Amino acid sequence: MTPTIQLNDGNEMPAIGFGTFQIPADGSTYKAVSEALKAGYRHIDTAVAYFNEAEVGQAVRDSGIPRDQLWITSKLWLQDYGIEPTTRAIDLSLKKLGLVYLDLYLIHQPYGDVPGAWQSMVTAQQAGKIRSIGVSNMTPKIWQHYVTHFDVKPAVNQVEFNPLFQQHELRKLMVDDQVKLEAWAPLGQGNQALLTNPIVVALANKYQKDAGQIILRFETQLGVIVLPKSTHSARISSNLNIFDFTLNEDEMAQLASLDTGKGRHDPDAPGVQEMLAAYDVHADD
């Protein structure tokens, strides 16, 4: 049974989920999500910008798993920010997924009419279309700009996080409102410098686990929700098999020492907003 983490709105969210970023909607997403559900995942993460919501929804429906045992996340894209556009976008995602409600809905990129989008998401939550609402890719600077003005605080902030980039400043900001950090790229997007690090390798040998399992266990022991992604059956299963051992305090400190304070994506960098705003998620609708 996958452990859960209680969110600040009272909902219980599985501590590990299956990520679908960059899995094509050519049957590959359906296959991967089906494999993940068979392996025991009960938390699936998608987004309108991944163009695979329909295949995620089909796999969920075909699994036969009761809806109340699943946690399904999707995300709002930039071109749909604002009160009315966000309302339409939520309904469209629900239609593509074939679901009555979403368990979590996130502001995917924190630029533009974020307040209008958030207001619409709060309304959708009150209407029962979404159970929990949150944000993504918010740095400390962006967090201070927007979230301090929100009447309803996010349940999660989904950001880049792994042993090389541990988001210390951001985590300090989030703790007062009990906002949980959810990690994309929890394995550093296959970063070999991380996966072959001597500390990680030594712990993998000690616990008879692979490097990815050591890293994911470190993160979950910190209280971080993780979203590993794979299209390989063995890896899908192994990434979930991390709750039968516990890293001790010294081992956690060794892994914490790997932090460089830098990630691969900087949402504060000049030009990022403009680059992302040019990405059309409704070209084929």
Side-chain angles (χ1 to χ4, degrees):
M1 193 75 176
T2 303
T4 59
I5 289 180
Q6 187 172 51
L7 303 178
N8 58 13
D9 58 14
N11 290 323
E12 295 277 343
M13 181 179 184
I16 184 169
F18 183 72
T20 63
F21 177 55
Q22 292 183 329
I23 304 181
D26 59 1
S28 301
T29 297
Y30 177 86
K31 180 181 178 183
V33 172
S34 297
E35 291 274 2
L37 293 170
K38 288 176 186 174
Y41 289 84
R42 292 298 179 263
H43 171 185
I44 308 295
D45 180 274
T46 184
V48 64
Y50 300 171
F51 297 99
N52 58 17
E53 287 175 307
E55 288 195 19
V56 169
Q58 191 65 51
V60 164
R61 293 193 301 278
D62 289 351
S63 73
I65 299 168
R67 178 66 183 91
D68 62 1
Q69 294 180 22
L70 295 168
W71 184 276
I72 311 298
T73 298
S74 193
K75 309 179 192 77
L76 178 73
W77 192 248
L78 278 161
Q79 71 196 83
D80 293 323
Y81 290 7
I83 295 174
E84 291 184 5
T86 296
T87 300
R88 291 193 297 269
I90 292 167
D91 289 342
L92 183 57
S93 282
L94 287 170
K95 181 180 178 182
K96 286 182 177 179
L97 286 158
L99 299 177
V100 175
Y101 66 91
L102 280 159
D103 297 279
L104 178 63
Y105 196 63
L106 306 177
I107 287 180
H108 200 159
Q109 303 291 349
Y111 314 105
D113 188 7
V114 171
W118 190 251
Q119 183 179 337
S120 185
M121 287 165 60
V122 170
T123 300
Q125 183 183 36
Q126 293 168 343
K129 293 181 180 180
I130 306 167
R131 294 181 63 210
S132 294
I133 55 177
V135 296
S136 183
N137 294 304
M138 280 200 173
T139 63
K141 179 181 176 181
I142 296 171
W143 181 273
Q144 295 280 39
H145 181 70
Y146 287 119
V147 177
T148 52
H149 303 292
F150 288 176
D151 291 331
V152 176
K153 299 303 180 186
V156 306
N157 183 15
Q158 185 183 119
V159 295
E160 182 180 4
F161 182 96
N162 57 68
L164 300 180
F165 186 36
Q166 296 177 33
Q167 298 274 14
H168 291 291
E169 184 183 354
L170 181 64
R171 286 157 63 193
K172 288 176 184 175
L173 279 178
M174 291 164 52
V175 73
D176 286 346
D177 294 311
Q178 299 179 301
V179 181
K180 299 300 181 184
L181 190 147
E182 185 175 25
W184 63 257
L187 299 175
Q189 294 181 320
N191 186 340
Q192 289 304 302
L194 174 60
L195 295 172
T196 62
N197 181 277
I199 293 173
V200 174
V201 172
L203 290 172
N205 290 334
K206 174 183 175 179
Y207 288 103
Q208 296 187 307
K209 294 289 184 178
D210 62 41
Q213 290 170 313
I214 296 299
I215 293 164
L216 292 170
R217 190 67 185 112
F218 166 71
E219 293 161 348
T220 56
Q221 283 185 221
L222 288 176
V224 172
I225 300 157
V226 294
L227 295 170
K229 181 202 81 175
S230 179
T231 55
H232 303 288
S233 297
R235 183 66 62 192
I236 289 171
S237 294
S238 68
N239 285 341
L240 190 64
N241 185 24
I242 59 171
F243 298 106
D244 58 350
F245 74 106
T246 302
L247 298 166
N248 64 39
E249 188 175 334
D250 179 61
E251 292 162 348
M252 289 292 287
Q254 290 180 50
L255 290 165
S257 74
L258 300 180
D259 186 39
T260 67
K262 294 180 181 179
R264 293 188 172 192
H265 173 61
D266 180 7
D268 292 327
V272 172
Q273 177 176 351
E274 291 74 16
M275 176 190 70
L276 294 172
Y279 190 65
D280 183 3
V281 299
H282 296 310
D284 299 326
D285 289 349

